[in-house]
């Protein structure tokens, strides 16, 4: 059984393979040295967004947001808190839809903030509107029954 997970580095886009039992040991990108799953919310660009949402074997929750969106800014600390709660088994990231409107268009997002949960290269569920950390974490856990 292949017990390595594939993780796209949010900083440089390099695909990394990490043994599952090393996830908690602070794995770093083999190319740029950035932490791969340290509970921080990574800022994505479209290239990394597509690679990570389609190819990663670890669940990824993406926050589609914009700087002009008040509820998005309000939710940011809650999102960051939930990211720490679920690290390292779920990664959290955000993408600025003002800078990259094509990404939210492709995802069919009509209002922000919007959260989309990806797992094993496909969309699992989405959640619209600003939510507190506990609701974000519950949304992730509720949609990933195998999560411990
Ligand atoms: Zn990297």
């Amino acid at each position: 059984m292949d017990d390595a997970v594939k993780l796209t580095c949010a900083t440089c886009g390099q695909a990394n393979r990490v043994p599952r039992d090393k996830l908690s040991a602070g794995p770093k990108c083999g190319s740029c040295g950035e932490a791969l799953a340290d509970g921080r919310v990574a800022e994505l660009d479209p290239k990394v967004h597509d690679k990570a949402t389609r190819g990663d074997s670890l669940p990824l929750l993406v926050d589609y947001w914009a700087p002009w969106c008040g509820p998005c800014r309000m939710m940011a600390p809650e999102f960051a808190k939930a990211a720490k709660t679920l690290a390292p088994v779920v990664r959290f990231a955000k993408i600025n839809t003002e800078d990259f409107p094509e990404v939210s268009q492709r995802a069919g997002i009509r209002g922000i903030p919007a959260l989309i949960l990806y797992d094993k290269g496909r969309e699992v569920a989405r959640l619209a509107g600003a939510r507190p950390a506990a609701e974000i974490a519950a949304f992730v856990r509720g949609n990933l029954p195998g999560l411990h």
Side-chain angles (χ1 to χ4, degrees):
M1 193 183 134
D2 185 4
D3 223 17
V5 294
K6 194 176 152 198
L7 291 179
T8 302
C9 172
T11 304
C12 74
Q14 172 74 35
N16 288 265
R17 290 177 66 78
V18 177
R20 195 172 282 277
D21 58 1
K22 293 277 190 298
L23 267 180
S24 312
K28 292 194 163 55
C29 173
S31 178
C32 74
E34 278 296 313
L36 289 171
D38 63 351
R40 272 182 309 160
V41 177
E43 187 94 49
L44 303 179
D45 66 25
K47 197 170 140 253
V48 176
H49 169 278
D50 291 353
K51 206 168 166 183
T53 56
R54 289 171 193 162
D56 279 15
S57 41
L58 216 58
L60 177 70
L61 184 66
V62 181
D63 174 16
Y64 297 82
W65 77 289
W68 52 260
C69 160
C72 297
R73 292 198 308 270
M74 269 172 47
M75 186 175 73
E78 296 296 311
F79 192 71
K81 207 191 286 179
K84 287 201 174 65
T85 310
L86 288 161
V89 287
V90 180
R91 296 206 299 167
F92 280 49
K94 59 180 178 177
I95 186 155
N96 184 330
T97 62
E98 188 179 31
D99 289 346
F100 309 115
E102 71 276 13
V103 175
S104 51
Q105 272 161 24
R106 264 195 283 122
I109 288 165
R110 287 180 199 87
I112 53 171
L115 304 179
I116 301 184
L117 178 64
Y118 298 90
D119 189 25
K120 300 179 182 73
R122 61 182 187 89
E123 177 179 334
V124 175
R126 56 176 74 191
L127 185 66
R131 311 280 175 157
E135 253 182 68
I136 296 169
F139 163 74
V140 171
R141 288 201 177 94
N143 283 289
L144 298 170
L147 203 67
H148 298 294

